Amino acid sequence: MMHQRETFTILWVLVISAGMAGGVLKDKSTGKGLRVGDTAPDFSLPYATKEKIELFQPWKLSEHLGQKAIVLAFYPADWSPGCTKEVCTFRDNFSALVELDAYVVGISGDYVFSHHEWAKNQSLPFPLLSDHDHKVARLYQSYDEKMGYNKRTVFIVDKKGKIRYMNLAYSVADDRDFETLKDALKKLTS
């Protein structure tokens, strides 16, 4: 016979699992979570492209709203195999994403100097933002406190600043998550 405490524990695990499956991000500091349809938290970060490093005129989300849908791609680290695969998938499909009226931004805790060299090395056509203190990753609950780096998560922010898609466990093991991302962008443009 199951005790009341065991029943409560099982119910609690089910509630937490349902919240994760439903795409809810929990902010431990406020207890609030981001959901599809919420306004994306604004932020400003230094960045690098393959052409330059920009420390004094940071990339700001609110300044890019209204132009295109924005794909925020959080990733753990420059130069790592999984992250290289992820950004190269975005690079190799960049024209298809542009046709879907999307703008890609990579975000990790690496410094802009590493971003610049990596963007040159991989010929990346989009900016890499430096969130070295992980404040933005924490806003989007894309930071792994235990491991000390960003989790691989992807968001689509529409032209009005609303979150229209989020994948809290984006995988580069195959192209399924990327195809799902493209499908979400297609829905925004149709």
Side-chain angles (χ1 to χ4, degrees):
M1 179 161 197
M2 200 178 293
H3 296 298
Q4 186 176 4
R5 186 175 191 176
E6 291 169 323
T7 303
F8 177 78
T9 302
I10 290 169
L11 288 173
W12 183 245
V13 168
L14 290 173
V15 167
I16 290 171
S17 298
M20 288 177 177
V24 179
L25 299 169
K26 301 289 183 185
D27 181 341
K28 293 177 185 172
S29 63
T30 63
K32 295 180 181 177
L34 293 175
R35 297 178 186 270
V36 170
D38 286 351
T39 299
D42 195 17
F43 61 86
S44 178
L45 291 171
Y47 70 94
T49 64
K50 62 185 177 182
E51 293 87 18
K52 68 178 181 174
I53 294 172
E54 187 55 70
L55 297 171
F56 302 108
Q57 292 182 343
W59 193 96
K60 187 169 184 174
L61 178 63
S62 58
E63 291 176 357
H64 290 82
L65 297 178
Q67 301 165 22
K68 295 178 178 274
I70 299 168
V71 176
L72 302 176
F74 291 87
Y75 65 94
D78 298 346
W79 305 99
S80 66
C83 297
T84 299
K85 183 174 181 180
E86 179 181 6
V87 297
C88 288
T89 298
F90 285 122
R91 177 200 64 202
D92 296 346
N93 293 278
F94 191 72
S95 61
L97 295 171
V98 169
E99 286 176 18
L100 293 170
D101 208 22
Y103 182 81
V104 177
V105 178
I107 306 171
S108 86
D110 290 312
Y111 287 110
V112 290
F113 308 104
S114 175
H115 284 344
H116 178 61
E117 292 303 317
W118 195 43
K120 284 193 301 185
N121 182 273
Q122 299 300 323
S123 192
L124 301 179
F126 48 84
L128 300 175
L129 283 55
S130 179
D131 183 24
H132 191 67
D133 59 8
H134 304 285
K135 284 183 182 177
V136 175
R138 284 182 175 99
L139 275 175
Y140 284 82
Q141 290 78 32
S142 294
Y143 181 65
D144 186 327
E145 295 286 344
K146 191 184 302 183
M147 299 303 288
Y149 52 77
N150 289 0
K151 297 182 275 186
R152 194 178 318 283
T153 60
V154 176
F155 297 79
I156 295 174
V157 178
D158 71 11
K159 294 177 183 181
K160 295 180 180 178
K162 300 290 184 185
I163 296 171
R164 293 296 171 208
Y165 169 87
M166 50 198 224
N167 183 334
L168 306 180
Y170 188 85
S171 175
V172 297
D174 55 41
D175 288 338
R176 280 185 276 177
D177 282 355
F178 182 75
E179 291 302 320
T180 302
L181 172 69
K182 282 191 349 187
D183 289 343
L185 285 167
K186 286 176 190 172
K187 288 177 186 174
L188 282 180
T189 59
S190 58

